[in-house]
Amino acid sequence: MTVWHVNTWGTVFLDVAPDMRLAAEAARIEAVKATGAVPAECGPEYVNAPARGCFRVVDFHALYPKGADDWEGKPAGFEGRRTVERQDVFGEMLAQAARARRPAPLSPGQIAMGRFFRDLHERHACAGLRCSSVEAMPGGSGGTAAGFMDAVLADRARLDVLRARLSDTPAPKLRAVRPSKRGSRVSITTRALVEAVCLRQMHLDAVLRAHGWTVKGETRKAARQALALGLDALMGPLRGRGITAKHFGDGPVSIWSAA
């Protein structure tokens, strides 16, 4: 059914029939639900949740006897079920590279550092006193509260060290792209790039668009290289002439020492 309306200024316009609007809204809701659908082989315990975001389906494997003295790996899910594993922005980068049969854009160490930076930031941002009353704390003393606050302050100090290693100047790899090539005169700093990807889980294309840059092969490559260098900077400087191990915490080569 077609419905015509006339507004107060005498303008006649066409309105979609109510049943068509309801059908369009139902189709939109079904499309949203489909984005959170979980494969049936994962079991009924997983609910459809569009807010879950990107995920992949994996199998847990275990060794089972094969013959008298041999073993073989087989899926070990309960009743043959598979498992849903949520993916962050780094997992999506690896998945996209695997689908395109390209090498991984970041090394395992760089990805681990980016995730550690994100987890540390989230833990510190969500920190809060469990209870304002000393009597309600375990043991009725202030020892637990003091230890908790010491941990919060330690996380803050670690974040300060990491943020100090990120430059507020334009990333060299991105600065090398001429404004005529990137379509914008806005520069992207190393800190802005690393924090956008690690803390806000933005893809590199989204970071480029947010700064008005043109998304194409040259700018994507420069952004990947700048992100890799920024994550290397988060790890801290290398000591000595060779590559040394980086320890998270106290130690002779702690990443929390001054750069």
Side-chain angles (χ1 to χ4, degrees):
M1 180 178 64
T2 303
V3 180
W4 296 88
H5 289 279
V6 180
N7 59 20
T8 55
W9 295 278
T11 303
V12 179
F13 62 94
L14 176 66
D15 187 17
V16 181
D19 54 344
M20 296 180 62
R21 290 201 303 270
L22 292 176
E25 179 65 11
R28 186 189 68 83
I29 293 176
E30 288 300 322
V32 172
K33 289 181 177 180
T35 61
V38 178
E41 60 265 26
C42 296
E45 286 77 11
Y46 286 104
V47 298
N48 291 351
R52 183 184 289 117
C54 181
F55 65 88
R56 68 171 182 167
V57 178
V58 297
D59 284 315
F60 284 113
H61 285 74
L63 292 176
Y64 293 90
K66 181 181 180 181
D69 53 358
D70 197 6
W71 299 81
E72 64 177 342
K74 293 182 179 179
F78 175 71
E79 295 184 350
R81 295 175 182 172
R82 308 183 72 188
T83 301
V84 169
E85 182 183 81
R86 287 190 61 192
Q87 297 294 291
D88 58 5
V89 65
F90 297 110
E92 293 182 35
M93 288 181 184
L94 295 177
Q96 291 173 358
R99 285 196 298 267
R101 297 185 178 181
R102 296 194 304 264
L106 301 170
S107 70
Q110 292 167 343
I111 293 175
M113 190 66 225
R115 287 171 172 167
F116 177 79
F117 182 43
R118 176 200 63 201
D119 295 343
L120 181 63
H121 180 273
E122 290 180 354
R123 184 170 70 240
H124 180 70
C126 297
L129 291 175
R130 296 181 302 167
C131 186
S132 59
S133 174
V134 175
E135 290 78 7
M137 295 179 182
S141 65
T144 303
F148 174 76
M149 291 308 300
D150 288 342
V152 173
L153 294 175
D155 286 346
R156 174 60 183 270
R158 291 167 178 168
L159 280 174
D160 290 342
V161 171
L162 294 180
R163 290 194 180 107
R165 290 174 178 168
L166 296 176
S167 173
D168 279 326
T169 58
K173 292 294 183 179
L174 293 171
R175 185 175 54 192
V177 182
R178 301 178 60 181
S180 59
K181 297 286 187 180
R182 65 197 191 201
S184 173
R185 301 189 65 86
V186 178
S187 299
I188 305 176
T189 65
T190 300
R191 173 175 293 183
L193 177 64
V194 173
E195 290 187 347
V197 175
C198 296
L199 305 186
R200 295 192 292 277
Q201 296 291 288
M202 294 177 63
H203 288 278
L204 292 177
D205 287 3
V207 178
L208 293 173
R209 292 191 184 98
H211 290 80
W213 284 44
T214 302
V215 178
K216 56 184 180 180
E218 183 178 0
T219 54
R220 283 195 181 108
K221 180 180 178 180
R224 285 195 301 267
Q225 293 174 342
L227 176 62
L229 292 176
L231 294 174
D232 286 339
L234 278 181
M235 297 182 190
L238 294 177
R239 289 172 172 79
R241 297 183 178 180
I243 298 178
T244 59
K246 296 299 176 183
H247 299 273
F248 295 88
D250 297 331
V253 289
S254 170
I255 68 168
W256 310 122
S257 58

